[in-house]
C-alpha cells in the first residue's frame, strides 16, 4: 500500500491537476507551462498557508 | 468580411472530419486518446500520464471505487469515478480498490480517483473543442 504523507499527497495532487489545467485552459505551449506552474504554486501555497492558519487557530 | 466569430466557425467546419464526437468519446474512454486522434502527441501523452498516474496512485492508496449509491455524496463520487472511462470498468472487473475507507491515506486515494475522473472529462471536452475548432 502506498502511504504518502499529507504534504506529499498535496504535491502529487497539485502536480497532476496543474498539468491538466495548463493543457486544457490555455492555447499555446508557453502559456500552458506558465499557467500550469501558476496553478501548482497556488495549490501548494494555499495548502501551506491554510495549514499554518489551522495550526495557529488550534494553539 | 469575416468577423472573428465567422473565422472560428469557418475553422471549425474545416477541421471537422468524421464523427464529430469521436475525440470526446475516445478521450473519455481512454485518457489522452482524444488528443492522440487529433495528432496532439505531446498533450495526449501528458494527459494520459497525469490521469493514469493519479488513478493508479489512488488505487495504490486503497482508495474506494464507488459502485452502489446510498446517498447524494455517493452519487457524486460515482459520477466522478465514471469519468475515468475504461480505467474504472477495468478496475471494477479486476476487483481493485477498497470497498470501505479505513485509513487516512485511503481517503486521499478516493479523492485522487474521483478527481482523475473529473480531470479526464475536462481533457475529453478539450479534445472535442480542438476537433470542432473552438480551440487551437
Amino acid at each position: 500500500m502506498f502511504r504518502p504523507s499529507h504534504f506529499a499527497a498535496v504535491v502529487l495532487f497539485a502536480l497532476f491537476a496543474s498539468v491538466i489545467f495548463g493543457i486544457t485552459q490555455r492555447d499555446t505551449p508557453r502559456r500552458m507551462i506558465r499557467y500550469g506552474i501558476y496553478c501548482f504554486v497556488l495549490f501548494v501555497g494555499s495548502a501551506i498557508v491554510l495549514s499554518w492558519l489551522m495550526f495557529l487557530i488550534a494553539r | 468580411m469575416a468577423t472573428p466569430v465567422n473565422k472560428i466557425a469557418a475553422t471549425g467546419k474545416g477541421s471537422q472530419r468524421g464523427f464529430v464526437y469521436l475525440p470526446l468519446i475516445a478521450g473519455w474512454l481512454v485518457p489522452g486518446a482524444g488528443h492522440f486522434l487529433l495528432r496532439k502527441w505531446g498533450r495526449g501523452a501528458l494527459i494520459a500520464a497525469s490521469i493514469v498516474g493519479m488513478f493508479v496512485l489512488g488505487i495504490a492508496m486503497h482508495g474506494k471505487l464507488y459502485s452502489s449509491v446510498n446517498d447524494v455524496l455517493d452519487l457524486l463520487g460515482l459520477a466522478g469515478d465514471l469519468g475515468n472511462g475504461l480505467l474504472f470498468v477495468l478496475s471494477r472487473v479486476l476487483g481493485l480498490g477498497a470497498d470501505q475507507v479505513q485509513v487516512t491515506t485511503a481517503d486521499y486515494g478516493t479523492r485522487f480517483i474521483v478527481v482523475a475522473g473529473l480531470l479526464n472529462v475536462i481533457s475529453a471536452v478539450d479534445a472535442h473543442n480542438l476537433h470542432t475548432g473552438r480551440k487551437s
Side-chain angles (χ1 to χ4, degrees):
Chain A
M1 183 179 177
F2 179 52
R3 287 175 178 270
S5 67
H6 197 156
F7 184 71
V10 165
V11 171
L12 285 169
F13 183 98
L15 180 70
F16 293 132
S18 301
V19 169
I20 301 297
F21 283 171
I23 290 171
T24 57
Q25 304 300 312
R26 292 294 182 269
D27 290 335
T28 60
R30 188 181 173 81
R31 294 185 68 205
M32 286 177 187
I33 292 168
R34 287 186 64 176
Y35 189 67
I37 292 170
Y38 173 73
C39 287
F40 181 81
V41 169
L42 274 188
F43 270 127
V44 178
S46 58
I48 291 170
V49 169
L50 286 173
S51 303
W52 274 105
L53 207 62
M54 285 188 281
F55 171 75
L56 294 173
I57 289 169
R59 287 184 74 186
Chain B
M1 194 174 109
T3 62
V5 176
N6 290 340
K7 277 182 186 172
I8 291 168
T11 313
K13 277 185 182 175
S15 64
Q16 285 181 18
R17 287 182 214 101
F19 183 44
V20 72
Y21 296 110
L22 185 61
L24 179 71
I25 294 169
W28 168 56
L29 290 175
V30 180
H35 287 77
F36 288 141
L37 280 176
L38 302 172
R39 300 181 186 283
K40 303 278 185 188
W41 306 110
R43 294 185 201 185
L46 278 170
I47 287 169
S50 297
I51 304 291
V52 174
M54 206 167 187
F55 186 85
V56 168
L57 283 179
I59 293 290
M61 286 186 236
H62 286 198
K64 178 183 173 183
L65 277 175
Y66 289 91
S67 56
S68 59
V69 177
N70 297 317
D71 54 37
V72 178
L73 287 179
D74 281 353
L75 181 66
L76 293 173
L78 180 64
D81 278 5
L82 284 172
N84 287 297
L86 291 180
L87 281 176
F88 174 72
V89 176
L90 196 66
S91 301
R92 290 291 307 163
V93 169
L94 295 175
L96 299 174
D99 292 326
Q100 284 193 333
V101 173
Q102 292 177 334
V103 290
T104 313
T105 44
D107 199 29
Y108 302 162
T110 305
R111 304 302 153 227
F112 267 58
I113 294 168
V114 171
V115 174
L118 297 175
L119 292 173
N120 191 38
V121 171
I122 293 175
S123 304
V125 171
D126 184 61
H128 176 68
N129 287 338
L130 284 167
H131 186 56
T132 57
R134 196 175 294 165
K135 185 186 173 193
S136 56

